[in-house]
């Protein structure tokens, strides 16, 4: 009797995940950082279902080569599609900078179901910056990969050619978050060093874009080292609004996004480790499931 009950429980548990995943909006990041984007999306559009995937076992992506970031991101996107997502948001600047365009132009046209879509975080952030900066001098803080790709200056200058964009790679910041060392004093050294660097490269900067989804977790420390004249801009809110706008403009996609207000969390590392960390980042208890990518 007890055994039959357990089998039934297990079936219902798996069925719940299968039901949850089909029609969910996929949200992908190398690790925990994308949770800062997911929570903004969830608070703007709580009615939809989401499927978060963190490739924690291979994070950080920031210092990896173009080919590797593309390959890892492609695997994650295809996996989310397999799980039933029709729309995937790359809640990762490094993946958006190094993989989005190739996935959109090369991989999506090869799929049998050509209605699947992938969106990134750089364009929605570039779109907003013109209405925020007054000095027209903007700084980008990001991973080495994001800064080297020049994606931000390219996207911003397409929309606002008058804005001068300066980048600063902060290779230690995402690992500080990923290893949950971001509130410790050790973090201060690296944060201050990179902020001093970028402001000495261009002292007229009045807006600093946090161009990595891990960085909002460092926001309090970042603000404590910035002069009042400089605004640190986290992108989650703008990405969420841009997604809402996208769904409004694409009713066919909106119609295939399910609405049970449920979220599934998936990681390529230990689910227990992920649940503990995600609970801290999201301020609520969550359960995670492990999946493999290849
Ligand atoms: N959170 C990611 C980003 O927005 C990547 C951080 C990393 O894996 O290095 O760039």
């Amino acid at each position: 009797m007890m055994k039959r009950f357990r089998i039934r429980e297990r079936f219902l548990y798996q069925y719940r995940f299968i039901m949850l995943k089909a029609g969910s909006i996929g949200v992908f990041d190398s690790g925990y950082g994308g949770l800062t984007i997911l929570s903004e999306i969830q608070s703007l559009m709580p009615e939809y279902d989401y499927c978060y995937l963190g490739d924690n076992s291979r994070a950080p992506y920031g210092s990896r080569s173009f080919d590797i970031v593309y390959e890892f991101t492609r695997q994650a996107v295809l996996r989310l599609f397999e799980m039933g997502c029709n729309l995937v948001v790359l809640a990762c600047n490094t993946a958006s900078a190094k993989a989005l365009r190739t996935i959109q132009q090369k991989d999506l046209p090869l799929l049998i179901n050509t209605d699947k879509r992938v969106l990134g975080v750089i364009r929605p952030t570039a779109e907003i910056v013109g209405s925020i900066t007054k000095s027209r001098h903007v700084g980008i803080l990001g991973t080495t990969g994001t800064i080297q790709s020049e994606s931000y200056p390219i996207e911003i200058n397409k929309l606002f050619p008058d804005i001068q964009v300066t980048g600063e790679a902060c290779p230690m910041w995402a690992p500080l978050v990923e290893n949950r060392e971001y509130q410790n004093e050790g973090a201060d050294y690296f944060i201050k060093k990179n902020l001093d660097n970028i402001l000495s490269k261009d002292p007229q900067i009045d807006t600093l874009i946090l161009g990595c989804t891990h960085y909002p977790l460092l926001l309090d420390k970042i603000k404590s080292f910035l002069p009042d004249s400089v605004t640190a801009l986290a992108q989650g809110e703008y990405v969420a609004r841009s997604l809402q706008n996208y769904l409004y403009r694409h009713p066919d996609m909106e119609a295939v996004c399910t609405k049970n207000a449920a979220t599934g969390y998936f990681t390529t590392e230990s689910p227990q480790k992920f649940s503990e960390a995600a609970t801290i980042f999201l301020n609520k208890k969550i359960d995670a499931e492990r999946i493999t990518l290849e």
Side-chain angles (χ1 to χ4, degrees):
M1 183 66 185
M2 196 59 195
K3 195 170 167 207
R4 264 181 53 198
F5 178 73
R6 279 211 210 98
I7 292 171
R8 187 170 164 270
E9 279 293 276
R10 191 160 173 73
F11 173 76
L12 285 176
Y13 182 76
Q14 284 179 349
Y15 181 72
R16 189 174 74 81
F17 269 120
I18 292 164
M19 291 305 289
L20 170 72
K21 287 179 285 199
S24 302
I25 297 173
V27 179
F28 169 70
D29 182 43
S30 61
Y32 300 118
L35 294 171
T36 62
I37 302 283
L38 175 69
S39 65
E40 293 284 352
I41 296 176
Q42 283 173 323
S43 50
L44 188 67
M45 295 181 287
E47 67 277 24
Y48 289 98
D49 298 331
Y50 301 98
C51 189
Y52 184 87
L53 171 57
D55 190 8
N56 300 77
S57 67
R58 302 188 293 193
Y61 280 11
S63 48
R64 292 187 184 273
S65 67
F66 180 96
D67 288 351
I68 296 292
V69 174
Y70 162 63
E71 187 48 35
F72 287 178
T73 307
R74 193 182 70 94
Q75 290 169 3
V77 167
L78 293 180
R79 191 62 207 273
L80 286 164
F81 285 165
E82 258 171 45
M83 287 158 83
C85 300
N86 299 303
L87 177 63
V88 173
V89 179
L90 299 184
C92 175
N93 290 268
T94 312
S96 300
K98 292 186 157 192
L100 179 63
R101 188 172 296 261
T102 317
I103 290 175
Q104 284 175 335
Q105 293 179 355
K106 189 179 136 225
D107 296 299
L108 291 187
L110 296 177
L111 292 176
I112 297 168
N113 179 349
T114 50
D115 295 337
K116 307 262 185 193
R117 290 289 175 269
V118 184
L119 306 173
V121 288
I122 294 178
R123 178 80 190 191
T125 313
E127 279 170 1
I128 197 72
V129 78
S131 61
I132 293 177
T133 173
K134 294 202 167 45
S135 69
R136 314 310 275 174
H137 289 251
V138 168
I140 313 294
L141 302 163
T143 65
T144 307
T146 300
I147 299 303
Q148 279 176 353
S149 74
E150 297 269 318
S151 299
Y152 269 102
I154 293 168
E155 286 299 328
I156 291 174
N157 288 146
K158 264 190 226 162
L159 301 164
F160 312 105
D162 62 317
I163 295 183
Q164 185 167 320
V165 185
T166 303
E168 169 76 5
C170 311
M172 291 304 292
W173 292 18
L176 284 167
V177 173
E178 211 53 28
N179 293 295
R180 290 158 62 184
E181 291 286 345
Y182 62 101
Q183 276 163 337
N184 297 342
E185 278 171 23
D188 293 7
Y189 170 81
F190 293 104
I191 293 172
K192 185 168 179 332
K193 180 177 128 185
N194 291 122
L195 293 177
D196 287 349
N197 278 352
I198 192 162
L199 293 178
S200 67
K201 281 189 237 173
D202 181 357
Q204 292 187 63
I205 287 173
D206 70 352
T207 308
L208 271 180
I209 295 178
L210 306 189
C212 172
T213 55
H214 283 63
Y215 298 174
L217 293 152
L218 304 166
L219 191 58
D220 288 344
K221 277 195 186 286
I222 294 171
K223 279 184 178 163
S224 73
F225 292 117
L226 284 180
D228 291 344
S229 55
V230 181
T231 305
L233 195 70
Q235 59 193 162
E237 182 192 333
Y238 308 110
V239 173
R241 275 202 240 146
S242 165
L243 177 62
Q244 186 181 48
N245 184 270
Y246 178 87
L247 291 171
Y248 178 74
R249 287 183 292 111
H250 296 84
D252 291 354
M253 178 56 80
E254 203 279 336
V256 293
C257 293
T258 51
K259 297 190 188 88
N260 304 296
T263 303
Y265 296 88
F266 301 86
T267 174
T268 57
E269 244 283 352
S270 140
Q272 197 188 338
K273 232 166 96 180
F274 185 90
S275 302
E276 279 168 21
T279 299
I280 298 170
F281 297 148
L282 292 172
N283 278 324
K284 64 179 177 197
K285 174 117 188 57
I286 63 113
D287 287 320
E289 196 182 322
R290 180 164 182 259
I291 59 168
T292 49
L293 294 176
E294 54 195 33

